[in-house]
Amino acid sequence: MGKESLDYLRKKLADHKIRVDARYRYYDMKYKEPHTSFTMPLQIRNRFQSTVGWTSKAVDALADRLSFRDFDNDNFNINKIFQMNNPDTLFDSAILSALIASCSFVYIIDDEEYPKLQVIEASNATGIIDPITGLLKEGYAVLERDIYGNAKVEAYFEAFKTTIITDGDAVEYPHTAPAPLLVPIIHRPDAVRPFGRSRITRGAIYWQSYAKRTLERSDVTAEFYSFPQKYAVGTSEDAEPLDGWKASISAMLEITKDEDGDKPTLGQFNTPSMQPFMEQLRIAASGFAGETGLTMDDLGFVTDNPSSAEAIKASHETLRITARKAQRNFGSGFLNVGFLSACLRDGVTYKRNQFTETKAKWEPIFEPDLSALSTAGDGIIKINQAVPNYFSVNNLKDLLGIEGDEQVGSRYIGRTTGEDTSDISEEVWNKPESTELT
């Protein structure tokens, strides 16, 4: 273990932790922004604090559509490793953390039978990345902190060795993996930012802050809107002064003439309109939707007519493309996790190129409704008639996201392509026609 490398990674983590924590505060809707108004008194500003969760919506809208299924061509049985590590939580946690902070890390723990996998957020882990494989050359993680936020248990990762540091005492654990057992799961990496980019961009933060200030101004204006200012002109100097609060909430006021028979003139200032604030909030929502690939419906500005599944899919085209890109990035990271985990499980130092045929499979980004299923069924029949066996049970599952029956699928393909299906049992042939496309 090189002390210089460890000190460098500690400093690197401290530098990035501030920005990562800020992104998490935005996601948790706990970020307090400085006041920028020069017309609103401080005591008024402190009373009207608004909260907007658009950045949380931008992250969740994408994370909820990324559902990892399994690995295809799994020659090394890495699916079993993930199944032993609560995959429903593991994948979702790694994806959500990566979307918030641009990346997350999976810590692989060498165990007797199956490696254990733990997700570590970017505020507690960092490393030096290999831009070719996406694996780390060196890694560092804080596994436990004390009540003051200081590192209590640390881990330094190298190829074939992991060093655990507890209160200054270092213990080395050798292993058979040819890379550090800390694997990055990265969202949208590039040559400039190999650790990716956050879903909570500066543009998204600006539009959310813009909406937050608009809501605070509208709250203050609403107070004047509820109790508009009134005035009385020409009152007698000897008259008892009006109590402003009583004049605002009283159902009836009595103002008599003076000894000369004169009476005051009562009036009311024009009530400020709330409409400009609604238009300003809509502008902020439109800018945020354009920045994140969402629609106005997603941000609470509901359209008059309900949309069909195809209309929703068309309006979310930008989100669909973003999700496809994220699937490719995350799939590569999860494959790296499986590669190193297989090395630990088998006690063999595999090569990364031995896993090139293993592909990550994802559930469809948009689930088809009944009309989409019917349209797809017609298209599948025509395509299979033109190109026999182009669609099978397996790639239909990728297209529709529905687990079908293999025997029924074989009967369906045989009917549409004219193949000999005499080997299929009579029981399968006699199944109701309504199950043909299941």
Side-chain angles (χ1 to χ4, degrees), residues 363-411:
E363 300 294 347
I365 299 171
F366 294 94
E367 295 182 359
D369 61 358
L370 292 177
S371 62
L373 286 175
S374 177
T375 303
D378 293 338
I380 291 167
I381 291 174
K382 294 177 181 178
I383 292 174
N384 274 353
Q385 288 176 344
V387 183
N389 293 337
Y390 187 85
F391 279 107
S392 64
V393 175
N394 292 330
N395 52 21
L396 277 181
K397 182 180 178 181
D398 296 337
L399 177 67
L400 304 176
I402 299 176
E403 186 77 34
D405 185 279
E406 293 187 1
Q407 286 184 318
V408 175
S410 300
R411 174 183 61 150

Side-chain angles (χ1 to χ4, degrees), residues 66 94-95 97-106 122 127-136 182-190 193-199 322 325-334 336-337 362:
L66 298 176
I95 290 172
S97 296
L99 292 177
I100 295 173
S102 80
C103 68
S104 61
F105 295 85
V106 176
I128 301 174
I129 195 170
D130 184 346
I132 298 176
T133 62
L135 294 165
L136 295 182
L182 186 70
V183 182
I185 308 298
I186 307 174
H187 175 243
R188 299 186 71 85
D190 56 40
R193 295 195 176 207
F195 281 100
R197 299 176 183 271
S198 171
R199 175 76 170 155
T322 303
K325 172 69 173 178
Q327 286 178 347
R328 294 193 295 271
N329 297 149
F330 293 149
S332 176
F334 291 139
N336 284 336
V337 174
W362 299 80

Side-chain angles (χ1 to χ4, degrees), residues 31-45:
Y31 191 86
K32 293 185 179 180
E33 299 180 359
H35 296 292
T36 58
S37 175
F38 53 85
T39 58
M40 194 184 303
L42 181 60
Q43 63 271 22
I44 298 296
R45 282 181 281 171

